[in-house]
Amino acid sequence: MEPDPNNNNSTNIKAFLHGHQVNLEELEQDGDNDVPKKQHKRRRTSKAWGMFTKLPLDAYHDGKERSMCVCGQVYISESNYGTGNMLKHIKKCPKLKKSRDPRQMILDHSGSIGSCSLEFDQVVFHELLSAVIVKHGLPFQFVEFDAIRNCFEFLNSEVQNISRNTAKADILKAYNAERLRIKAMLEEVPGRICFTSDLWTACTTDGYMSLTAHFIDKNWVLQKRLLNFTLMPSPHTGLCLSEKLLSL
């Protein structure tokens, strides 16, 4: 019996192939099994994935996909569960509050986004401020500018703003520590030390002198360190310069 072309029901259509009656629905299923379908994974766009790490499927007996926060809290993260619970956890997570997420997000070695959980260190903050003031020639009053303080408080609410007197004391402390470090370095020099000096005049017509030490360290690397920087009043004669150098 020939198949009826007007019948649209694929389950009832029969065809003769090499003299055998075959169900077309079975042929379609067999064909689907021969050609594997490509499964396209949905791109995860939720902000929660920046704070959670996906766990292996065999971590739990039920086989459900789970993800762990930086604080250790674990949530089921399958697509039909959504990320609502993880987003709620991010708002109250103690570690993420300390790290001021999302302004301190970092990239790990695998390329995924994570959160920096380091606590704010006031001592390191003082050292960085001292380095900025010295390197860029800023006044001590720089730490009391309202805009600078607002910027610091925006980056971290735990910051304790300092006064100009504290900034001055921090720089003097850093100077004394650096002087002791250079002194210990010079004591370990295996060879000779060469000293050079330089003179120049500031825009206020005041003269200044610097003293620099040049040496080769134990690793055979040429080093130089500025040892002194002092006011050099007139006259700049050879006798006055030698006396000044010996007094440094």
Side-chain angles (χ1 to χ4, degrees):
M1 180 178 180
E2 298 295 332
D4 186 3
N6 296 325
N7 189 357
N8 296 327
N9 189 353
S10 62
T11 60
N12 297 327
I13 296 177
K14 307 295 180 178
F16 287 92
L17 183 62
H18 300 295
H20 297 281
Q21 189 177 22
V22 180
N23 192 309
L24 292 182
E25 185 178 5
E26 295 177 356
L27 288 176
E28 293 176 357
Q29 293 178 356
D30 294 339
D32 293 341
N33 294 332
D34 295 338
V35 181
K37 295 182 179 180
K38 294 183 178 179
Q39 297 181 354
H40 298 280
K41 294 183 179 180
R42 288 182 55 190
R43 183 180 179 183
R44 296 181 172 181
T45 58
S46 176
K47 296 180 180 179
W49 298 117
M51 308 302 157
F52 281 79
T53 303
K54 185 179 177 181
L55 298 177
L57 293 177
D58 56 355
Y60 292 86
H61 297 293
D62 56 6
K64 292 183 178 180
E65 180 180 323
R66 286 175 169 82
S67 298
M68 183 174 63
C69 179
V70 293
C71 67
Q73 183 68 34
V74 178
Y75 288 93
I76 297 177
S77 56
E78 292 188 345
S79 59
N80 56 337
Y81 280 81
T83 57
N85 291 333
M86 292 189 289
L87 292 174
K88 292 179 182 179
H89 173 77
I90 289 176
K91 296 180 180 180
K92 60 182 181 180
C93 179
K95 281 198 172 183
L96 294 181
K97 284 184 178 180
K98 290 183 179 180
S99 62
R100 299 290 292 173
D101 170 71
R103 284 170 286 221
Q104 292 187 8
M105 295 174 63
I106 58 174
L107 288 174
D108 58 16
H109 296 290
S110 61
S112 60
I113 300 178
S115 176
C116 178
S117 60
L118 296 178
E119 297 183 1
F120 179 76
D121 193 333
Q122 191 73 24
V123 176
V124 176
F125 175 68
H126 283 216
E127 294 176 352
L128 293 175
L129 272 182
S130 300
V132 169
I133 293 174
V134 172
K135 183 175 182 178
H136 299 286
L138 300 175
F140 296 137
Q141 191 182 4
F142 163 78
V143 297
E144 297 180 348
F145 293 161
D146 293 336
I148 292 298
R149 290 190 169 185
N150 293 337
C151 180
F152 292 156
E153 292 174 357
F154 171 77
L155 295 175
N156 197 303
S157 59
E158 299 180 3
V159 65
Q160 298 178 5
N161 291 310
I162 62 176
S163 64
R164 68 185 76 181
N165 293 329
T166 303
K168 177 182 177 181
D170 290 340
I171 291 177
L172 291 177
K173 181 181 178 180
Y175 165 76
N176 292 326
E178 184 67 13
R179 192 170 87 173
L180 293 176
R181 189 183 70 85
I182 293 179
K183 182 179 179 181
M185 180 188 299
L186 294 176
E187 291 177 352
E188 297 178 355
V189 174
R192 297 184 178 182
I193 302 175
C194 178
F195 296 98
T196 59
S197 63
D198 195 6
L199 292 171
W200 65 89
T201 304
C203 59
T204 57
T205 68
D206 293 330
Y208 292 90
M209 171 185 284
S210 66
L211 179 64
T212 307
H214 306 263
F215 58 93
I216 297 177
D217 61 14
K218 57 184 178 181
N219 296 323
W220 286 89
V221 178
L222 180 62
Q223 304 282 353
K224 63 177 180 179
R225 294 294 185 274
L226 180 64
L227 301 183
N228 211 319
F229 182 85
T230 183
L231 179 66
M232 181 62 196
S234 299
H236 295 168
T237 62
L239 180 60
C240 294
L241 293 177
S242 63
E243 291 178 351
K244 187 68 175 180
L245 284 173
L246 294 175
S247 64
L248 295 179

